[in-house]
Structure formats: C-alpha cells, structure tokens
Amino acid sequence: MSYAVISDVHANLHALEAVLQDINGKGITDIYFIGDAVGYGPRPNQCIDIIKQRCILTLAGNHDWAAIGYTDITYFNKYAKQAIEWTIEELSNEHMEDIKSFNLIKSSEKEDAFFAHATPMEPVLWSYLFTVEQVEKNFSAFKQSICFIGHSHLAIVFELEVSGQIYIHKDPIIIKNKQSRYIVNTGSVGQPRDNDNRSSYAVIQDDTIEIVRVTYDIEATQAEMKAAGLPEMLINRLSFGM
Ligand code: ZN
C-alpha cells in the first residue's frame, strides 16, 4: 500500500506538474487531493483538469468555495481577495461546475484514512490547527487511524499516542506506530509558507509517513502571474516560500 496526498495547489501549474512527475517516479498511482485547487495562482482551469484526471479524491478548500460564491471573502486579506476576483473571471463554467462537485470531507476505507482541507471537526469553519488543545479535539472528530489536512501551507505531523499524549513531528520521515493515530498536514504544492520554496506533499507507505519536497520552475509561474496582473506580493512570496 502506498499513496500520495497533495493539497493547496493554488493554480500553480508548474508546481503541480513537478509534484505529479515526482509521484510518478515513485511508481505511486493513488493520489488524494485535499483542497484549494485555485486562488493565488495563474492557471486555475488547467490545474482543475489535471487534478480531475489524476486524483482519486478531490476536496474543496476555502479558496475553491470562494471562487464559486459558497463562502464569503470578507475575511480574506486584500491580495487573496484580488486573486479570487481574478480567478472568478478566469474560470470556465465547466470548471466552476467541477468545483461544485468537490467534497468537503471524505474517508477511505481502503487506506483507513480521513481527509479534510482545514480540520476534520467543523470543516466549514476553515479553522487552523495550531494548539495541542485543538489537535486533541480534532482527533475525536474522525475514527480512522490517519487524517490528512492542508490549509495552513505548513507541513507538520501530529501523533496521538495510545497514552493520550500528543507528539509533534517535524522530521520529514516518520515511522508509524501501529497503536498511534495521526493528523498529517501535507504542506502546500503551489504556495509553500515555511521558508522553503519547494513544493510539499505527503507519501504514505506501509509503515512510514514522508513529507516530500520538490523543486519546480518558480520563475515560469511568476511570469504567468505577472502576465495575468496578479498582485506583486503573491508573485514575490513564491521565491521565498513564505
Ligand atoms: Zn490554501
């Protein structure tokens, strides 16, 4: 059993292609996508097409929902708002319909896994999981042994040990403890924010969880963003991964 989980593509086609190539190179065919196909980046239609073709799960994130008017964007910062307004103009009707068909949460019996863009508990609030207290509560919101999230664009793995202790892993490879349960934030394919400009995604093998980093053609994405007239701040941050 091995599969990949990708999140927060944000219409960054070059990053998505680099990650899919990396996944191919590992001989992995099952790819789960957990939300935010669009927003920030310059290639929303193409990214949705590829995600539809390649992923066996497609979840919606808050930017996807914003692009189809399902969530209000008053709480978005001005750059995110500008990018969503541009995305709404750019998206074809067909791709708008695609987003409407994306799930909010989903579980997989085969992988004994649960998937949500932001949090397994009250996913529609689009909260961030930062404190141990929030993490504890969220472990009770799903029954599978592992849950995947994105949203913060920061890769991190929380382990709930059988004793009830929460352990926070920041190392890229974790050997799974059979008695523990896990919440894995995969990090972001299209707009990493942990001061590393490489795309981030997760690979699960029989007994390991790995956060994989992949370089992509950042300048090509930045040129497309410039041509689209997307905000300078969003263009620049890709260089730094922040
Ligand atoms: Zn996102």
Side-chain angles (χ1 to χ4, degrees), residues 7-10 35-36 38-40 61-63 117 128 150-153 188 191 193:
S7 188
D8 295 276
V9 169
H10 286 294
D36 276 358
V38 306
Y40 298 130
N62 52 323
H63 289 254
H117 179 66
Y128 293 94
H151 193 45
S152 70
H153 300 204
S188 168
Q191 195 203 70
R193 291 182 192 159

Side-chain angles (χ1 to χ4, degrees), residues 150-165:
H151 193 45
S152 70
H153 300 204
L154 301 168
I156 193 165
V157 178
F158 301 103
E159 176 176 358
L160 175 66
E161 293 176 340
V162 74
S163 66
Q165 282 289 323

Side-chain angles (χ1 to χ4, degrees), residues 8-26:
D8 295 276
V9 169
H10 286 294
N12 186 338
L13 180 63
H14 300 285
L16 177 60
E17 285 176 338
V19 163
L20 292 177
Q21 203 180 352
D22 198 65
I23 293 171
N24 266 348
K26 295 180 193 300

Side-chain angles (χ1 to χ4, degrees), residues 3-64:
Y3 58 98
V5 186
I6 66 173
S7 188
D8 295 276
V9 169
H10 286 294
N12 186 338
L13 180 63
H14 300 285
L16 177 60
E17 285 176 338
V19 163
L20 292 177
Q21 203 180 352
D22 198 65
I23 293 171
N24 266 348
K26 295 180 193 300
I28 295 172
T29 52
D30 288 357
I31 308 171
Y32 295 83
F33 167 69
I34 58 170
D36 276 358
V38 306
Y40 298 130
R43 291 287 180 262
N45 293 304
Q46 294 86 339
C47 286
I48 292 174
D49 280 336
I50 293 175
I51 288 167
K52 266 188 346 190
Q53 271 170 28
R54 296 293 306 280
C55 300
I56 53 177
L57 169 76
T58 47
L59 291 191
N62 52 323
H63 289 254
D64 300 323

Side-chain angles (χ1 to χ4, degrees), residues 8-9 12 14-16 18-19 153-154 187-201 212-219 221-222 234-242:
D8 295 276
V9 169
N12 186 338
H14 300 285
L16 177 60
V19 163
H153 300 204
L154 301 168
S188 168
V189 169
Q191 195 203 70
R193 291 182 192 159
D194 53 359
N195 300 312
D196 180 340
N197 63 16
R198 295 173 300 167
S199 296
S200 178
Y201 74 99
V212 182
R213 303 303 293 248
V214 178
T215 54
Y216 74 94
D217 192 344
I218 295 174
E219 284 172 13
T221 294
Q222 288 174 319
L234 297 179
I235 297 173
N236 293 337
R237 71 187 301 174
L238 294 181
S239 301
F240 306 102
M242 55 179 278

